[in-house]
Amino acid sequence: MAIYYLKESKIEKDQIIITNDLLHHLKNVLRIKKGEKIKFFDDNFIYTTECIEKEKDALIFRIKEISKNKKPEIEFNIIQSVIEKSELEDSIRLLVTSRVSKIFVTNTERSAKSFKETNLKRLREIALNTSEQSEICFIPEIIYLESLDRAIQMFHENSFVLHFGSKYSLKDIPSIANLNKPITFFIGPEGGFSEGEIEMFKKNAIPIITLKSGVFRSQFAGTVAVLVTLELIS
């Protein structure tokens, strides 16, 4: 059953009234018919509905069932260095399916090219589409930070850097992280963080974590870190 995010639609008693951009997709692309069942979700609930009315400027669905949209028990933040456009988009898709709470994109010394806040619209659209297509029912915040230094200032507690040559690995996370607070992973670009950036992490007492099983490309590293950590904790 298809599922879509309710962004601006109205919920009135036992009905959902679709009048925004989603209307075009449901009416003209999916060609929804009366009596057809479809799911919607927002930040708090998942709604199973049935189309009961097709109007020129709206679709009306009757809510048949409501369930709680559960948030992840452990929150993860990812500080993702800017990488090539297609690879960054792949990273967003993977992180959404991993139910990461927040994704921060920042420029680093070895970033492929400069990233601007205006580029966020495309990444947010990808996050929304991935959430709907994968039926994750969860959309992470995607935020731009102008510099790595700013990211370190914001996330110097319960944070970890994925980089080469550390004595720590992901298996140490359950014992050194505070599992009652969001866990943050810093992900470098291709080639990793520069020596100067690693020094910044060390000065702020942010532990470096090495993936002992091998070196993953930047677009995969965050997802691997989150999924492996969840397995170790469970």
Side-chain angles (χ1 to χ4, degrees), residues 43-75:
D43 294 337
N44 299 306
F45 299 100
I46 300 171
Y47 307 89
T48 301
T49 70
E50 179 181 338
C51 182
I52 59 171
E53 203 66 53
K54 292 182 67 176
E55 300 177 356
K56 181 179 179 181
D57 299 320
L59 285 172
I60 301 175
F61 295 83
R62 176 173 287 122
I63 299 172
K64 309 289 284 187
E65 183 181 338
I66 300 177
S67 58
K68 185 73 174 176
N69 192 352
K70 296 180 181 178
K71 295 183 179 180
E73 293 184 7
I74 299 176
E75 292 186 39

Side-chain angles (χ1 to χ4, degrees), residues 31-190:
R31 301 182 185 277
I32 292 292
K33 300 175 182 177
K34 288 180 66 173
E36 194 166 347
K37 291 182 173 60
I38 194 168
K39 284 186 176 181
F40 298 99
F41 72 97
D42 57 24
D43 294 337
N44 299 306
F45 299 100
I46 300 171
Y47 307 89
T48 301
T49 70
E50 179 181 338
C51 182
I52 59 171
E53 203 66 53
K54 292 182 67 176
E55 300 177 356
K56 181 179 179 181
D57 299 320
L59 285 172
I60 301 175
F61 295 83
R62 176 173 287 122
I63 299 172
K64 309 289 284 187
E65 183 181 338
I66 300 177
S67 58
K68 185 73 174 176
N69 192 352
K70 296 180 181 178
K71 295 183 179 180
E73 293 184 7
I74 299 176
E75 292 186 39
F76 288 92
N77 299 320
I78 295 292
I79 314 293
Q80 173 66 59
S81 301
V82 174
I83 50 181
E84 291 292 343
K85 180 183 175 182
S86 62
E87 295 176 348
L88 182 57
E89 292 176 356
D90 285 343
S91 174
I92 297 299
R93 292 185 182 97
L94 290 167
L95 292 171
V96 169
T97 59
S98 304
R99 291 173 65 83
V100 167
S101 298
K102 296 180 181 179
I103 304 169
F104 297 84
V105 180
T106 189
N107 295 302
T108 56
E109 288 185 25
R110 292 174 178 165
S111 289
K113 57 182 178 180
S114 181
F115 185 89
K116 298 180 181 178
E117 194 163 5
T118 52
N119 301 129
L120 286 178
K121 182 179 179 181
R122 168 65 178 161
L123 297 184
R124 287 169 177 162
E125 288 174 351
I126 289 172
L128 171 59
N129 293 337
T130 302
S131 179
E132 292 175 338
Q133 293 167 8
S134 304
E135 299 186 22
I136 296 296
C137 299
F138 183 84
I139 305 172
E141 292 184 59
I142 303 180
I143 302 162
Y144 171 68
L145 293 176
E146 65 277 7
S147 68
L148 182 61
D149 183 58
R150 173 63 176 152
I152 290 173
Q153 290 176 24
M154 292 176 61
F155 298 97
H156 59 276
E157 294 183 0
N158 216 36
S159 297
F160 304 90
V161 184
L162 264 63
H163 196 67
F164 322 109
S166 172
K167 65 178 182 179
Y168 292 116
S169 69
L170 286 175
K171 67 180 177 61
D172 297 305
I173 294 291
S175 60
I176 63 177
N178 184 342
L179 304 182
N180 296 314
K181 293 184 178 181
I183 297 173
T184 300
F185 286 114
F186 285 82
I187 310 298
E190 299 303 328

